[in-house]
Amino acid sequence: MGWWGHLGGLKQRGIVTYSLSPFEQRAFAGALHQAIFNTFRRTTGQVLYIGIPFGLAYGTYSWAKKNHEFRLSKEGHAFYGAGEH
């Protein structure tokens, strides 16, 4: 036995061996198909956690925007009695 890199034995030349793991042959086989159905399954599982708060936030935002516009209008000033000082 020799030192590091020189372990003794005969030198082999011209022998090149390549192999490919079965897991690397088709790494993305079915990835797009699985991604579509997995995304749908995960989205339907989270819709209550995201949809309800989003709906409440959007409803609050649209109500506040309409209320603000009404309060800035002539009808809003007359309804709330602003400007009678």
Side-chain angles (χ1 to χ4, degrees):
M1 278 264 164
W3 185 242
W4 183 260
H6 303 286
L7 298 177
L10 300 172
K11 291 188 176 188
Q12 296 180 358
R13 293 184 182 186
I15 299 175
V16 179
T17 304
Y18 296 101
S19 65
L20 190 61
S21 167
F23 299 107
E24 293 177 332
Q25 289 180 5
R26 294 184 63 203
F28 290 104
L32 184 61
H33 181 265
Q34 291 173 356
I36 292 170
F37 290 107
N38 197 22
T39 302
F40 178 74
R41 179 185 58 81
R42 293 173 121 189
T43 303
T44 55
Q46 295 294 323
V47 74
L48 292 177
Y49 297 110
I50 294 180
I52 292 173
F54 180 77
L56 289 173
Y58 182 75
T60 303
Y61 171 76
S62 62
W63 169 82
K65 191 166 178 137
K66 287 178 188 174
N67 190 19
H68 179 70
E69 290 295 324
F70 178 72
R71 287 177 182 255
L72 291 179
S73 67
K74 270 187 177 181
E75 295 84 13
H77 285 285
F79 182 77
Y80 288 108
E84 294 182 6
H85 298 334

